[in-house]
Amino acid sequence: AQTVTQSQPEMSVQEAETVTLSCTYDTSESDYYLFWYKQPPSRQMILVIRQEAYKQQNATENRFSVNFQKAAKSFSLKISDSQLGDAAMYFCAYRSVNNNDMRFGAGTRLTVKP
Amino acid sequence: DAGVIQSPRHEVTEMGQEVTLRCKPISGHDYLFWYRQTMMRGLELLIYFNNNVPIDDSGMPEDRFSAKMPNASFSTLKIQPSEPRDSAVYFCASSLTGRSGYTFGSGTRLTVV
């Protein structure tokens, strides 16, 4: 079964600075999808960004971008110009194209300091 | 679209009681998922449906848990009898086939006392 590992339980960043959250995964599949979700204190799970494994180009969504290294099975999230509203739990997730379910990492709690 | 709608938002019940959590997926989505979130175990997939048919229920913790999807617009997760260790946030999510991400509901926080 696929596993997703987030090795940083907590991270902090100064407002307006850049922070990178790490994620690695284990799979034997060649085609799959990767996601980053944000969970603020409201507990709503919000999709931040997604990456298709067959695409080499890294996905970007405004201040959020990923560094996808397929061979290394690494999928990090970079948040630029951090804002107070970015403070949340961030979950990395893997979705198989074979069985369509999604596996989540344990999460990284991001604190943004004013 | 109103998104994925879950009810109730909070539920407090006594041990031994039956609890039913409800979910309305996004119209047109053919997959529906139930997750449980706890501090100790994170987000766990309990069961998922495709076109109203249960595909994988290997995550359902035990026979006290059951889930149904009688039609494309409604699903329930039932716990009978409930126990204190069932206390958690339960999320429902829906998606289209394949490459899309999930859309989550706002979750139900269940407390069993």
Side-chain angles (χ1 to χ4, degrees):
Chain A
Q2 297 84 14
T3 57
V4 179
T5 302
Q6 293 179 250
S7 58
Q8 307 154 316
E10 296 184 354
M11 291 283 285
S12 67
V13 62
Q14 203 71 35
E15 193 176 6
E17 297 295 310
T18 296
V19 64
T20 298
L21 309 184
S22 301
C23 173
T24 59
Y25 56 94
D26 184 29
T27 185
S28 58
E29 298 176 331
S30 59
D31 194 15
Y32 47 86
Y33 304 98
L34 298 166
F35 304 86
W36 279 97
Y37 278 86
K38 170 185 177 181
Q39 187 179 38
S42 67
R43 84 170 180 240
Q44 181 70 50
M45 294 285 286
I46 302 165
L47 178 62
V48 174
I49 198 166
R50 72 182 181 95
Q51 175 78 41
E52 295 158 335
Y54 64 86
K55 288 187 177 180
Q56 293 192 349
Q57 186 174 5
N58 290 324
T60 300
E61 288 287 343
N62 301 314
R63 297 183 295 108
F64 299 87
S65 61
V66 299
N67 184 4
F68 173 50
Q69 301 291 327
K70 191 173 184 178
K73 297 180 183 176
S74 171
F75 182 60
S76 60
L77 175 69
K78 186 172 80 171
I79 306 174
S80 304
D81 185 25
S82 297
Q83 300 175 359
L84 296 177
D86 295 334
M89 282 289 288
Y90 285 82
F91 293 95
C92 178
Y94 174 106
R95 183 175 190 182
S96 169
V97 299
N98 293 323
N99 58 18
N100 280 293
D101 67 359
M102 192 178 293
R103 304 291 169 168
F104 288 84
T108 296
R109 182 174 301 281
L110 177 66
T111 302
V112 180
K113 299 178 180 177
Chain B
D1 198 323
V4 177
I5 300 172
Q6 288 187 250
S7 64
R9 185 160 174 80
H10 303 279
E11 177 79 31
V12 180
T13 191
E14 292 185 347
M15 182 173 61
Q17 296 298 306
E18 177 180 295
V19 176
T20 300
L21 311 181
R22 297 172 176 79
C23 175
K24 176 180 169 53
I26 290 176
S27 177
H29 281 190
D30 53 354
Y31 279 86
L32 184 139
F33 306 83
W34 283 99
Y35 281 84
R36 178 172 68 177
Q37 184 178 35
T38 61
M39 289 292 292
M40 291 297 295
R41 301 176 68 91
L43 279 157
E44 302 173 276
L45 176 64
L46 300 177
I47 185 172
Y48 76 94
F49 297 83
N50 178 216
N51 292 323
N52 313 337
V53 177
I55 301 301
D56 184 354
D57 65 354
S58 60
M60 296 286 263
E62 48 199 274
D63 292 346
R64 297 184 298 105
F65 285 69
S66 63
K68 294 182 179 180
M69 192 167 186
N71 56 62
S73 60
F74 184 66
S75 178
T76 59
L77 178 67
K78 184 177 295 185
I79 308 173
Q80 166 64 20
S82 58
E83 297 182 2
R85 60 191 168 120
D86 302 331
S87 297
V89 177
Y90 291 81
F91 284 102
C92 174
S94 69
S95 83
L96 291 168
T97 300
R99 63 189 63 187
S100 65
Y102 296 0
T103 301
F104 282 81
S106 55
T108 295
R109 179 176 296 280
L110 173 65
T111 303
V112 183
V113 298

